[in-house]
Amino acid sequence: MSPTTAPTVTLPHGAAMPRLGMGTWPMDDAECERVIADAIALGYRLVDTAENYGNERGVGRGLKASGAAREELFVTTKFNKKWHGVELAAEAFERSADRLGLDYIDLLLIHWPNPDQDQYVEAWQGLARLLEQGRVKAIGTSNFKPSHLERIIAETGVVPDVNQIQLNPGVTREGPRSFHAEHGIVTQSWSPIGGEGVDVLQEQVVVDLAERYGKTPAQIVLRWHMELGLTAVPKSSNTERLAQNLDIFDFSLSSEDVAAISALDKGESAAADSDAFGH
Ligand code: A2P
């Protein structure tokens, strides 16, 4: 049987990104190497890492061990605030590419805006230059609020391909999602099934829907992201759960069921505040 692969979405600057990928936080190098080769055999094509996760070397080794052709893969990484500058962003790229063992990166993100430092516009200019040079196929941000996005768009005229934000049924981020939609930015959900602790999966509405659809709670929640037009990077280190998380493209949720899940939202204040936190 050929493995399931996720459908892709075309990003504003033209790259095709799988709608579902594999998150790697908080796996270490050794775990990444093992799990990624497994995930790619299962059909995953997108792998999401970051300088800050400290596992890019293991990710690179896992990609290589998978035997998959480079052009089949979509690799995302992110850089820390010390690289917020035009030249600095280029150096961040070089270092990540070197650790990953890649000569280009599919999607490079500013990990957090760090508005206190006030250098994210320069970091964004650096990313725009890397895109022009073809060293990355797509550029984006992570944890940017609409106010941060407004500023980089106004000052550079370049729209991010992706903004990756904390998003799950407990924090549905309606405001950011509609801002992204207005500007054509693709929303990517981090901690899509609720992160460690995974309380969302124990919510009665999710458990009941899982039973009704004959799916697992995680599949119901990941399908909810797809129904909302989102993309997502769930993390699992377990082969069975990895397979389960990718196997969500053969059913759909009714709009009433999507709304029932969205009603779990605790509001914007439940999300990490990127004006106060970042690295
Ligand atoms: P594990 O790696 O042992 O599977 P998120 O991606 O939203 O941050 O969630 C990650 C957490 O959810 C991890 O603790 C992961 O544990 C767990 N997890 C991932 N997939 C599933 C699943 N299908 N069912 C239950 N828990 C899952």
Side-chain angles (χ1 to χ4, degrees), residues 25 190-198 201 216 218-219 233-238 241-242 244-245:
W25 186 84
W190 66 255
S191 272
I193 55 178
E196 285 193 285
V198 288
L201 302 186
T216 68
Q219 288 175 318
V233 285
K235 175 265 170 183
S236 181
S237 310
N238 171 280
R241 289 192 285 278
L242 275 170
Q244 191 187 110
N245 294 350

PDB file of all heavy atoms in Angstrom, residues 25 190-198 201 216 218-219 233-238 241-242 244-245, ligand 1:
ATOM      1  N   TRP A  25       9.248  19.386  18.361  1.00  0.00           N
ATOM      2  CA  TRP A  25       9.560  19.799  19.738  1.00  0.00           C
ATOM      3  C   TRP A  25       8.809  18.911  20.707  1.00  0.00           C
ATOM      4  O   TRP A  25       7.607  18.687  20.489  1.00  0.00           O
ATOM      5  CB  TRP A  25       9.154  21.268  19.944  1.00  0.00           C
ATOM      6  CG  TRP A  25       9.596  21.763  21.283  1.00  0.00           C
ATOM      7  CD1 TRP A  25      10.827  22.248  21.615  1.00  0.00           C
ATOM      8  CD2 TRP A  25       8.826  21.762  22.495  1.00  0.00           C
ATOM      9  NE1 TRP A  25      10.862  22.554  22.955  1.00  0.00           N
ATOM     10  CE2 TRP A  25       9.654  22.260  23.522  1.00  0.00           C
ATOM     11  CE3 TRP A  25       7.517  21.369  22.819  1.00  0.00           C
ATOM     12  CZ2 TRP A  25       9.212  22.383  24.850  1.00  0.00           C
ATOM     13  CZ3 TRP A  25       7.078  21.486  24.130  1.00  0.00           C
ATOM     14  CH2 TRP A  25       7.920  21.994  25.126  1.00  0.00           C
ATOM     15  N   TRP A 190       0.537  25.585  15.589  1.00  0.00           N
ATOM     16  CA  TRP A 190       1.447  24.797  16.454  1.00  0.00           C
ATOM     17  C   TRP A 190       0.684  24.347  17.692  1.00  0.00           C
ATOM     18  O   TRP A 190      -0.291  24.974  18.079  1.00  0.00           O
ATOM     19  CB  TRP A 190       2.751  25.490  16.769  1.00  0.00           C
ATOM     20  CG  TRP A 190       2.874  26.750  17.587  1.00  0.00           C
ATOM     21  CD1 TRP A 190       3.124  28.014  17.098  1.00  0.00           C
ATOM     22  CD2 TRP A 190       2.862  26.890  19.038  1.00  0.00           C
ATOM     23  NE1 TRP A 190       3.242  28.908  18.144  1.00  0.00           N
ATOM     24  CE2 TRP A 190       3.089  28.258  19.341  1.00  0.00           C
ATOM     25  CE3 TRP A 190       2.683  26.008  20.100  1.00  0.00           C
ATOM     26  CZ2 TRP A 190       3.124  28.758  20.655  1.00  0.00           C
ATOM     27  CZ3 TRP A 190       2.720  26.495  21.404  1.00  0.00           C
ATOM     28  CH2 TRP A 190       2.942  27.847  21.672  1.00  0.00           C
ATOM     29  N   SER A 191       1.146  23.227  18.261  1.00  0.00           N
ATOM     30  CA  SER A 191       0.368  22.546  19.316  1.00  0.00           C
ATOM     31  C   SER A 191      -1.091  22.385  18.884  1.00  0.00           C
ATOM     32  O   SER A 191      -2.015  22.752  19.607  1.00  0.00           O
ATOM     33  CB  SER A 191       0.450  23.286  20.651  1.00  0.00           C
ATOM     34  OG  SER A 191       1.560  22.829  21.366  1.00  0.00           O
ATOM     35  N   PRO A 192      -1.306  21.814  17.695  1.00  0.00           N
ATOM     36  CA  PRO A 192      -2.671  21.749  17.152  1.00  0.00           C
ATOM     37  C   PRO A 192      -3.614  20.850  17.939  1.00  0.00           C
ATOM     38  O   PRO A 192      -4.823  21.034  17.875  1.00  0.00           O
ATOM     39  CB  PRO A 192      -2.463  21.205  15.737  1.00  0.00           C
ATOM     40  CG  PRO A 192      -1.193  20.438  15.813  1.00  0.00           C
ATOM     41  CD  PRO A 192      -0.324  21.211  16.779  1.00  0.00           C
ATOM     42  N   ILE A 193      -3.033  19.869  18.650  1.00  0.00           N
ATOM     43  CA  ILE A 193      -3.943  19.045  19.457  1.00  0.00           C
ATOM     44  C   ILE A 193      -3.846  19.413  20.927  1.00  0.00           C
ATOM     45  O   ILE A 193      -4.306  18.684  21.795  1.00  0.00           O
ATOM     46  CB  ILE A 193      -3.751  17.536  19.220  1.00  0.00           C
ATOM     47  CG1 ILE A 193      -2.309  17.108  19.459  1.00  0.00           C
ATOM     48  CG2 ILE A 193      -4.165  17.158  17.815  1.00  0.00           C
ATOM     49  CD1 ILE A 193      -2.111  15.606  19.281  1.00  0.00           C
ATOM     50  N   GLY A 194      -3.236  20.560  21.200  1.00  0.00           N
ATOM     51  CA  GLY A 194      -3.283  21.086  22.565  1.00  0.00           C
ATOM     52  C   GLY A 194      -1.999  21.002  23.335  1.00  0.00           C
ATOM     53  O   GLY A 194      -1.896  21.480  24.448  1.00  0.00           O
ATOM     54  N   GLY A 195      -0.969  20.400  22.730  1.00  0.00           N
ATOM     55  CA  GLY A 195       0.330  20.374  23.380  1.00  0.00           C
ATOM     56  C   GLY A 195       0.417  19.318  24.460  1.00  0.00           C
ATOM     57  O   GLY A 195      -0.455  18.457  24.585  1.00  0.00           O
ATOM     58  N   GLU A 196       1.486  19.405  25.237  1.00  0.00           N
ATOM     59  CA  GLU A 196       1.684  18.406  26.293  1.00  0.00           C
ATOM     60  C   GLU A 196       0.566  18.553  27.317  1.00  0.00           C
ATOM     61  O   GLU A 196       0.169  19.651  27.658  1.00  0.00           O
ATOM     62  CB  GLU A 196       3.057  18.590  26.920  1.00  0.00           C
ATOM     63  CG  GLU A 196       4.132  18.075  25.983  1.00  0.00           C
ATOM     64  CD  GLU A 196       5.474  17.940  26.654  1.00  0.00           C
ATOM     65  OE1 GLU A 196       6.093  18.991  26.876  1.00  0.00           O
ATOM     66  OE2 GLU A 196       5.882  16.812  26.945  1.00  0.00           O
ATOM     67  N   GLY A 197       0.097  17.414  27.794  1.00  0.00           N
ATOM     68  CA  GLY A 197      -1.068  17.477  28.682  1.00  0.00           C
ATOM     69  C   GLY A 197      -2.324  17.144  27.883  1.00  0.00           C
ATOM     70  O   GLY A 197      -3.178  16.417  28.351  1.00  0.00           O
ATOM     71  N   VAL A 198      -2.358  17.635  26.609  1.00  0.00           N
ATOM     72  CA  VAL A 198      -3.417  17.358  25.637  1.00  0.00           C
ATOM     73  C   VAL A 198      -4.837  17.282  26.222  1.00  0.00           C
ATOM     74  O   VAL A 198      -5.597  16.366  25.944  1.00  0.00           O
ATOM     75  CB  VAL A 198      -3.112  16.093  24.767  1.00  0.00           C
ATOM     76  CG1 VAL A 198      -2.000  16.389  23.790  1.00  0.00           C
ATOM     77  CG2 VAL A 198      -2.738  14.879  25.601  1.00  0.00           C
ATOM     78  N   LEU A 201      -8.055  16.739  24.011  1.00  0.00           N
ATOM     79  CA  LEU A 201      -8.455  15.392  23.583  1.00  0.00           C
ATOM     80  C   LEU A 201      -9.388  14.719  24.585  1.00  0.00           C
ATOM     81  O   LEU A 201     -10.033  13.734  24.266  1.00  0.00           O
ATOM     82  CB  LEU A 201      -7.230  14.508  23.345  1.00  0.00           C
ATOM     83  CG  LEU A 201      -6.228  15.023  22.317  1.00  0.00           C
ATOM     84  CD1 LEU A 201      -5.139  13.994  22.072  1.00  0.00           C
ATOM     85  CD2 LEU A 201      -6.912  15.387  21.006  1.00  0.00           C
ATOM     86  N   THR A 216     -10.234   8.717  16.195  1.00  0.00           N
ATOM     87  CA  THR A 216      -9.700   9.013  17.531  1.00  0.00           C
ATOM     88  C   THR A 216      -9.900  10.509  17.820  1.00  0.00           C
ATOM     89  O   THR A 216     -10.074  11.314  16.884  1.00  0.00           O
ATOM     90  CB  THR A 216      -8.198   8.689  17.616  1.00  0.00           C
ATOM     91  OG1 THR A 216      -7.498   9.623  16.794  1.00  0.00           O
ATOM     92  CG2 THR A 216      -7.899   7.265  17.175  1.00  0.00           C
ATOM     93  N   ALA A 218      -7.731  12.719  18.546  1.00  0.00           N
ATOM     94  CA  ALA A 218      -6.708  13.519  17.834  1.00  0.00           C
ATOM     95  C   ALA A 218      -7.093  13.687  16.364  1.00  0.00           C
ATOM     96  O   ALA A 218      -6.912  14.769  15.784  1.00  0.00           O
ATOM     97  CB  ALA A 218      -5.337  12.857  17.953  1.00  0.00           C
ATOM     98  N   GLN A 219      -7.640  12.650  15.759  1.00  0.00           N
ATOM     99  CA  GLN A 219      -8.057  12.764  14.344  1.00  0.00           C
ATOM    100  C   GLN A 219      -9.200  13.764  14.189  1.00  0.00           C
ATOM    101  O   GLN A 219      -9.241  14.512  13.213  1.00  0.00           O
ATOM    102  CB  GLN A 219      -8.474  11.387  13.808  1.00  0.00           C
ATOM    103  CG  GLN A 219      -7.274  10.470  13.600  1.00  0.00           C
ATOM    104  CD  GLN A 219      -7.688   9.066  13.192  1.00  0.00           C
ATOM    105  OE1 GLN A 219      -8.643   8.500  13.739  1.00  0.00           O
ATOM    106  NE2 GLN A 219      -6.975   8.498  12.243  1.00  0.00           N
ATOM    107  N   VAL A 233       1.038  21.245  12.371  1.00  0.00           N
ATOM    108  CA  VAL A 233       2.238  20.425  12.589  1.00  0.00           C
ATOM    109  C   VAL A 233       2.181  19.723  13.957  1.00  0.00           C
ATOM    110  O   VAL A 233       2.902  20.074  14.884  1.00  0.00           O
ATOM    111  CB  VAL A 233       3.549  21.247  12.438  1.00  0.00           C
ATOM    112  CG1 VAL A 233       3.826  21.536  10.971  1.00  0.00           C
ATOM    113  CG2 VAL A 233       3.513  22.571  13.206  1.00  0.00           C
ATOM    114  N   PRO A 234       1.330  18.688  14.070  1.00  0.00           N
ATOM    115  CA  PRO A 234       1.278  17.943  15.328  1.00  0.00           C
ATOM    116  C   PRO A 234       2.580  17.171  15.566  1.00  0.00           C
ATOM    117  O   PRO A 234       3.213  16.719  14.613  1.00  0.00           O
ATOM    118  CB  PRO A 234       0.117  16.963  15.106  1.00  0.00           C
ATOM    119  CG  PRO A 234       0.051  16.782  13.620  1.00  0.00           C
ATOM    120  CD  PRO A 234       0.454  18.103  13.029  1.00  0.00           C
ATOM    121  N   LYS A 235       2.942  17.061  16.826  1.00  0.00           N
ATOM    122  CA  LYS A 235       4.133  16.288  17.193  1.00  0.00           C
ATOM    123  C   LYS A 235       3.726  14.944  17.790  1.00  0.00           C
ATOM    124  O   LYS A 235       2.844  14.879  18.641  1.00  0.00           O
ATOM    125  CB  LYS A 235       4.954  17.068  18.218  1.00  0.00           C
ATOM    126  CG  LYS A 235       6.162  16.319  18.777  1.00  0.00           C
ATOM    127  CD  LYS A 235       5.869  15.614  20.087  1.00  0.00           C
ATOM    128  CE  LYS A 235       6.996  14.678  20.486  1.00  0.00           C
ATOM    129  NZ  LYS A 235       6.666  13.928  21.728  1.00  0.00           N
ATOM    130  N   SER A 236       4.350  13.893  17.320  1.00  0.00           N
ATOM    131  CA  SER A 236       4.278  12.630  18.051  1.00  0.00           C
ATOM    132  C   SER A 236       5.581  11.882  17.856  1.00  0.00           C
ATOM    133  O   SER A 236       6.189  11.945  16.786  1.00  0.00           O
ATOM    134  CB  SER A 236       3.119  11.754  17.595  1.00  0.00           C
ATOM    135  OG  SER A 236       3.127  10.576  18.393  1.00  0.00           O
ATOM    136  N   SER A 237       6.012  11.180  18.888  1.00  0.00           N
ATOM    137  CA  SER A 237       7.224  10.358  18.792  1.00  0.00           C
ATOM    138  C   SER A 237       6.840   8.898  18.614  1.00  0.00           C
ATOM    139  O   SER A 237       7.709   8.033  18.600  1.00  0.00           O
ATOM    140  CB  SER A 237       8.048  10.462  20.075  1.00  0.00           C
ATOM    141  OG  SER A 237       8.242  11.795  20.418  1.00  0.00           O
ATOM    142  N   ASN A 238       5.551   8.642  18.516  1.00  0.00           N
ATOM    143  CA  ASN A 238       5.053   7.272  18.520  1.00  0.00           C
ATOM    144  C   ASN A 238       4.526   6.904  17.129  1.00  0.00           C
ATOM    145  O   ASN A 238       3.699   7.619  16.568  1.00  0.00           O
ATOM    146  CB  ASN A 238       3.938   7.222  19.580  1.00  0.00           C
ATOM    147  CG  ASN A 238       3.185   5.932  19.547  1.00  0.00           C
ATOM    148  OD1 ASN A 238       2.308   5.739  18.706  1.00  0.00           O
ATOM    149  ND2 ASN A 238       3.516   5.042  20.445  1.00  0.00           N
ATOM    150  N   ARG A 241       0.698   6.743  16.635  1.00  0.00           N
ATOM    151  CA  ARG A 241       0.030   8.056  16.693  1.00  0.00           C
ATOM    152  C   ARG A 241       0.412   8.930  15.498  1.00  0.00           C
ATOM    153  O   ARG A 241      -0.415   9.686  14.987  1.00  0.00           O
ATOM    154  CB  ARG A 241       0.338   8.750  18.024  1.00  0.00           C
ATOM    155  CG  ARG A 241      -0.371   8.059  19.193  1.00  0.00           C
ATOM    156  CD  ARG A 241      -0.327   8.884  20.463  1.00  0.00           C
ATOM    157  NE  ARG A 241       0.957   8.892  21.116  1.00  0.00           N
ATOM    158  CZ  ARG A 241       1.423   7.938  21.927  1.00  0.00           C
ATOM    159  NH1 ARG A 241       0.689   6.871  22.186  1.00  0.00           N
ATOM    160  NH2 ARG A 241       2.620   8.051  22.487  1.00  0.00           N
ATOM    161  N   LEU A 242       1.658   8.791  15.032  1.00  0.00           N
ATOM    162  CA  LEU A 242       2.060   9.530  13.817  1.00  0.00           C
ATOM    163  C   LEU A 242       1.175   9.119  12.644  1.00  0.00           C
ATOM    164  O   LEU A 242       0.685   9.969  11.886  1.00  0.00           O
ATOM    165  CB  LEU A 242       3.509   9.195  13.450  1.00  0.00           C
ATOM    166  CG  LEU A 242       4.634   9.963  14.123  1.00  0.00           C
ATOM    167  CD1 LEU A 242       5.969   9.289  13.795  1.00  0.00           C
ATOM    168  CD2 LEU A 242       4.655  11.422  13.683  1.00  0.00           C
ATOM    169  N   GLN A 244      -1.798   7.744  12.726  1.00  0.00           N
ATOM    170  CA  GLN A 244      -3.164   8.197  13.010  1.00  0.00           C
ATOM    171  C   GLN A 244      -3.337   9.687  12.651  1.00  0.00           C
ATOM    172  O   GLN A 244      -4.316  10.077  12.030  1.00  0.00           O
ATOM    173  CB  GLN A 244      -3.329   7.998  14.510  1.00  0.00           C
ATOM    174  CG  GLN A 244      -4.662   8.135  15.089  1.00  0.00           C
ATOM    175  CD  GLN A 244      -4.526   8.068  16.616  1.00  0.00           C
ATOM    176  OE1 GLN A 244      -4.724   9.072  17.262  1.00  0.00           O
ATOM    177  NE2 GLN A 244      -4.190   6.910  17.179  1.00  0.00           N
ATOM    178  N   ASN A 245      -2.335  10.486  13.001  1.00  0.00           N
ATOM    179  CA  ASN A 245      -2.452  11.936  12.801  1.00  0.00           C
ATOM    180  C   ASN A 245      -2.460  12.325  11.318  1.00  0.00           C
ATOM    181  O   ASN A 245      -3.004  13.371  10.954  1.00  0.00           O
ATOM    182  CB  ASN A 245      -1.320  12.669  13.536  1.00  0.00           C
ATOM    183  CG  ASN A 245      -1.434  12.524  15.045  1.00  0.00           C
ATOM    184  OD1 ASN A 245      -2.446  12.049  15.557  1.00  0.00           O
ATOM    185  ND2 ASN A 245      -0.395  12.920  15.768  1.00  0.00           N
TER     186      ASN A 245
HETATM  187  P1  A2P B   1       3.485  11.484  21.863  1.00  0.00           P
HETATM  188  O1  A2P B   1       4.687  12.123  21.240  1.00  0.00           O
HETATM  189  O2  A2P B   1       3.825  10.515  22.949  1.00  0.00           O
HETATM  190  O3  A2P B   1       2.532  10.888  20.855  1.00  0.00           O
HETATM  191  P2  A2P B   1       0.943  19.030  19.988  1.00  0.00           P
HETATM  192  O4  A2P B   1       1.500  18.600  18.678  1.00  0.00           O
HETATM  193  O5  A2P B   1      -0.427  19.593  19.899  1.00  0.00           O
HETATM  194  O6  A2P B   1       1.899  19.917  20.742  1.00  0.00           O
HETATM  195  O7  A2P B   1       0.748  17.735  20.892  1.00  0.00           O
HETATM  196  C1  A2P B   1       1.836  16.922  21.214  1.00  0.00           C
HETATM  197  C2  A2P B   1       1.436  15.996  22.323  1.00  0.00           C
HETATM  198  O8  A2P B   1       0.321  15.192  21.937  1.00  0.00           O
HETATM  199  C3  A2P B   1       2.546  15.046  22.660  1.00  0.00           C
HETATM  200  O9  A2P B   1       2.543  14.900  24.066  1.00  0.00           O
HETATM  201  C4  A2P B   1       2.159  13.762  21.951  1.00  0.00           C
HETATM  202  O10 A2P B   1       2.666  12.655  22.645  1.00  0.00           O
HETATM  203  C5  A2P B   1       0.656  13.808  21.999  1.00  0.00           C
HETATM  204  N1  A2P B   1       0.019  13.168  20.846  1.00  0.00           N
HETATM  205  C6  A2P B   1       0.378  13.261  19.542  1.00  0.00           C
HETATM  206  N2  A2P B   1      -0.460  12.582  18.751  1.00  0.00           N
HETATM  207  C7  A2P B   1      -1.396  12.032  19.553  1.00  0.00           C
HETATM  208  C8  A2P B   1      -2.527  11.213  19.306  1.00  0.00           C
HETATM  209  N3  A2P B   1      -2.861  10.835  18.089  1.00  0.00           N
HETATM  210  N4  A2P B   1      -3.264  10.839  20.405  1.00  0.00           N
HETATM  211  C9  A2P B   1      -2.926  11.226  21.646  1.00  0.00           C
HETATM  212  N5  A2P B   1      -1.863  11.997  21.939  1.00  0.00           N
HETATM  213  C10 A2P B   1      -1.097  12.407  20.898  1.00  0.00           C
END
